[in-house]
Amino acid sequence: MIRTSTLCLLLLTLTGLAPIFAIDHPSYRATFPERQNHYVEVRADIPTHGQGTSELRMAAWTPGSYKIRDYARFVEGLAAHTPSGAPLSIEKVAKDRWKVQCEGIDHYRLTYRVYGREMTVRTNFVEESFAMLNGAATWIIPHGSEQAPYDVQFVLPAEWTHSETGLPAHPDGAAHHYLAPDYDTLVDCPVLLGTLNVQEFAVEGIPHFLVSSGGDDLWDFEKAALDCKKIVEAEAAMWEVIPYQSYRFLNMIVESGGGLEHKNSTLMMTSRFSFRDPDRYLRWLGLVSHEFFHTWNVKRLRPIALGPFDYSREVHTDDLWVVEGITSYYDDLMLARAGLTDRKKYLKALSGQIEGVQKTPGREVHALRETSHDAWTHFYQRHENSLNSTISYYTKGAVVGFLLDLEIRRATGGPFPGCGVDPQADCLDSGSKSVSSKVAALLPRASLIRCFTLFAALAIPIVGQGQVTSLIEVETISGTAGAGGSIVTTVQPTSNVQGISFGLCFDSSVLQVSSLTPCGTCVFDFFDDVVTAEGLGAAIITSFTGATSLQA
């Protein structure tokens, strides 16, 4: 009986007839015979589950990039056949949907190819030496199978040695063979294929990989991996949990830019010259920090609209400023905590975010909630008047996140940003005590004074028409928390400083400004769309000469 069954199975396979076992979930095989022409070819076995008609669909967008991309426009040569090779009728019923007539068979074979030559983190790129595939832009699936597992196998050209992805390995242990537990996971795991540089490191016993394509011997991948490890350690220490079994930084060195977050990986793009330029390398580390921070903020802690996903249409949420803005606040801060940047560079980066907001007229037109909701049509489809009509939820969200962090710490008597658990420790440099602790000591927690000093007693110089150029430290502090809760702070101005913003107040009326010399007009207009009981304001002194005292 064993020999007979084996012989029958062999004969059925050789003659191309249906196997004696049924297929219960989609199975894909990707090959690259025309990679020089930028094509990936896909063969899929699709179960029918006894239905006479099978509806197929393809995603129109990918999570993290909020614009309809219509990936089906890159699909060519779509065809369906019975297991014996007979053609099946296939009809296109929408821009990214098809129907296959499959009466009387338990599965059918789907074949198609996808053109990939758009170098972005949200699309596909295929060439002679490597391929980068995003799930939403690659896989056509049977409608209704979203919760089924997906079997995916890559057949690599002889010159390629690696396939790297966050997809779980297939239980059979075969190379380049994966099994996604559901469609969301299939979409969430980009794949990088080729001959790659892989650097492995562990944090809390969990493996991490810096996977790089390109570089032309201009990158020190060991040093880059060590810096990635420092970022992972800093962010894991903040969140106090690592929610994955392994993580991959997919680093495309392709003279492009950008990054896209995933649950256990990120896909990033940079230049081969970035490593040897300190400023560009620091920006790359900021990208690493930003995308890795999304491991928690949006991939786990997320707006309810962002998962499970409807991949066929826009999915709106008012909270992208939390998802992206607060992440943008923390990305550079985490570099400081990891020891990868110094105080001066960090404050310069934070100043740049504030300056970017203040220079954008659209900040007074488009509130953060609206900006988040309208990302699909405003942020990702900018036009000549966008500067006047909208604001980036990345930059304004980052500054608002900064302000909220300060207020939470002020209200709870906790440390200021970067200080760790010791309120007396310096925020960014462990070598000295921070000014913030001196100010905090002057303010009783029960004080009615609602003002707090911007970034732990730092001031923002204002030049010309109220534009922020950099952050400076308060040089001297004096004062007592008297019966009225007053504090006097003296700021020694530096050269070319024409104005100063000092003190962020939930109630601007409690901020009294006096100066040793006339200081000009105080203006209260800063991030006024933050929703609080009293609003949010700031005192901006437009001009002054000599030393200036601010009394709250």
Side-chain angles (χ1 to χ4, degrees):
M1 289 295 295
I2 295 177
R3 292 180 179 177
T4 303
S5 298
T6 303
L7 179 60
C8 290
L9 176 59
L10 178 61
L11 289 174
L12 288 170
T13 302
L14 290 175
T15 57
L17 300 178
I20 60 174
F21 56 88
I23 295 176
D24 62 357
H25 61 265
S27 177
Y28 297 83
R29 185 175 183 267
T31 59
F32 303 90
E34 289 191 62
R35 60 191 183 280
Q36 72 278 6
N37 294 323
H38 314 293
Y39 284 102
V40 54
E41 297 195 1
V42 179
R43 186 189 75 189
D45 290 322
I46 308 295
T48 64
H49 301 296
Q51 301 297 312
T53 301
S54 175
E55 183 176 345
L56 302 171
R57 69 180 183 88
M58 194 174 195
W61 67 284
T62 193
S65 182
Y66 304 101
K67 181 181 178 180
I68 296 298
R69 305 287 173 183
D70 290 330
Y71 294 119
R73 61 198 170 103
F74 297 113
V75 173
E76 300 177 17
L78 185 66
H81 296 83
T82 66
S84 61
L88 294 172
S89 172
I90 183 169
E91 176 188 6
K92 191 169 188 177
V93 295
K95 64 179 181 179
D96 50 18
R97 289 181 181 254
W98 303 262
K99 283 187 177 180
V100 178
Q101 301 301 320
C102 51
E103 187 73 37
I105 54 177
D106 63 2
H107 79 283
Y108 62 91
R109 176 155 291 176
L110 185 73
T111 56
Y112 60 95
R113 63 180 185 169
V114 179
Y115 183 75
R117 199 171 183 269
E118 186 174 340
M119 188 62 79
T120 75
V121 294
R122 57 189 174 264
T123 50
N124 293 338
F125 198 97
V126 180
E127 66 168 29
E128 191 74 33
S129 60
F130 73 88
M132 173 195 69
L133 302 179
N134 273 287
T138 304
W139 312 116
I140 296 176
I141 70 163
H143 181 65
S145 66
E146 291 77 9
Q147 299 306 311
Y150 288 80
D151 187 308
V152 178
Q153 186 171 21
F154 299 97
V155 180
L156 274 58
E159 300 85 0
W160 297 4
T161 57
H162 295 80
S163 64
E164 292 288 338
T165 177
L167 286 170
H170 195 281
D172 68 8
H176 320 303
H177 195 187
Y178 304 95
L179 185 65
D182 50 48
Y183 181 61
D184 282 339
T185 302
L186 185 67
V187 168
D188 190 54
C189 294
V191 186
L192 186 54
L193 309 103
T195 299
L196 311 172
N197 184 289
V198 181
Q199 300 289 326
E200 181 177 356
F201 60 90
V203 174
E204 296 187 18
I206 295 175
H208 297 71
F209 305 88
L210 173 62
V211 180
S212 299
S213 175
D216 292 347
D217 298 324
L218 297 177
W219 273 65
D220 182 341
F221 294 114
E222 292 184 4
K223 171 66 165 57
L226 179 61
D227 290 341
C228 288
K229 180 179 181 181
K230 293 177 181 178
I231 293 171
V232 172
E233 290 172 336
E235 297 191 10
M238 172 185 164
W239 288 99
E240 300 183 347
V241 62
I242 297 181
Y244 49 77
Q245 296 181 342
S246 66
Y247 191 94
R248 282 169 171 79
F249 297 93
L250 303 178
N251 184 36
M252 302 288 297
I253 307 174
V254 289
E255 306 311 312
S256 187
L260 194 62
E261 69 275 3
H262 302 280
K263 270 193 173 183
N264 61 356
S265 67
T266 180
L267 181 59
M268 308 176 297
M269 292 185 176
T270 187
S271 166
R272 62 186 181 278
F273 302 112
S274 294
F275 183 84
R276 298 192 178 186
D277 182 316
D279 290 336
R280 295 176 72 177
Y281 183 62
L282 187 61
R283 288 196 295 272
W284 179 78
L285 291 176
L287 177 64
V288 171
S289 178
H290 182 99
E291 301 304 334
F292 185 65
F293 199 86
H294 277 312
T295 302
W296 296 271
N297 190 25
V298 77
K299 300 313 292 187
R300 271 83 181 179
L301 177 68
R302 60 173 175 78
I304 193 170
L306 298 183
F309 298 99
D310 182 344
Y311 296 94
S312 66
R313 61 177 181 84
E314 296 91 339
V315 177
H316 295 281
T317 173
D318 294 342
D319 302 320
L320 289 183
W321 72 271
V322 177
V323 168
E324 294 292 356
I326 290 181
T327 297
S328 296
Y329 161 55
Y330 274 103
D331 53 24
D332 287 326
L333 182 57
M334 286 296 144
L335 296 185
R337 292 186 184 179
L340 295 171
T341 189
D342 58 27
R343 174 189 294 270
K344 182 178 180 180
K345 290 179 180 178
Y346 172 71
L347 296 182
K348 181 180 179 181
L350 181 58
S351 298
Q353 291 177 320
I354 298 172
E355 180 182 14
V357 172
Q358 291 296 88
K359 282 185 174 180
T360 305
R363 76 185 191 279
E364 298 179 344
V365 177
H366 217 188
L368 277 176
R369 289 182 61 190
E370 295 172 344
T371 303
S372 298
H373 187 274
D374 295 340
W376 299 82
T377 54
H378 286 64
F379 183 80
Y380 281 91
Q381 300 190 62
R382 300 181 69 82
H383 52 78
E384 63 181 15
N385 195 48
S386 292
L387 187 69
N388 299 312
S389 61
T390 189
I391 184 74
S392 168
Y393 50 79
Y394 282 81
T395 52
K396 190 171 183 178
V399 179
V400 171
F402 161 62
L403 300 178
L404 291 174
D405 192 7
L406 288 180
E407 172 56 15
I408 291 170
R409 294 168 187 274
R410 184 210 64 81
T412 60
F416 285 84
C419 297
V421 297
D422 180 5
Q424 298 299 313
D426 196 357
C427 295
L428 298 175
D429 182 359
S430 59
S432 61
K433 294 295 182 69
S434 68
V435 180
S436 63
S437 61
K438 301 176 183 178
V439 174
L442 299 175
L443 281 174
R445 294 188 185 183
S447 171
L448 296 179
I449 299 298
R450 300 300 302 276
C451 301
F452 59 97
T453 308
L454 179 59
F455 193 58
L458 297 177
I460 303 179
I462 310 296
V463 177
Q465 300 297 316
Q467 303 302 334
V468 179
T469 57
S470 63
L471 290 174
I472 62 171
E473 291 188 53
V474 173
E475 295 185 8
T476 61
I477 296 179
S478 62
T480 58
S486 63
I487 294 176
V488 177
T489 300
T490 301
V491 180
Q492 300 294 340
T494 60
S495 60
N496 299 322
V497 175
Q498 300 176 8
I500 191 167
S501 170
F502 190 88
L504 296 176
C505 307
F506 280 88
D507 182 359
S508 59
S509 65
V510 305
L511 183 63
Q512 306 295 323
V513 180
S514 61
S515 62
L516 302 179
T517 56
C519 70
T521 304
C522 298
V523 180
F524 302 98
D525 108 1
F526 199 69
F527 306 118
D528 54 5
D529 68 342
V530 175
V531 180
T532 65
E534 299 169 303
L536 181 62
I540 299 178
I541 302 174
T542 56
S543 64
F544 68 88
T545 58
T548 299
S549 295
L550 305 182
Q551 180 172 337

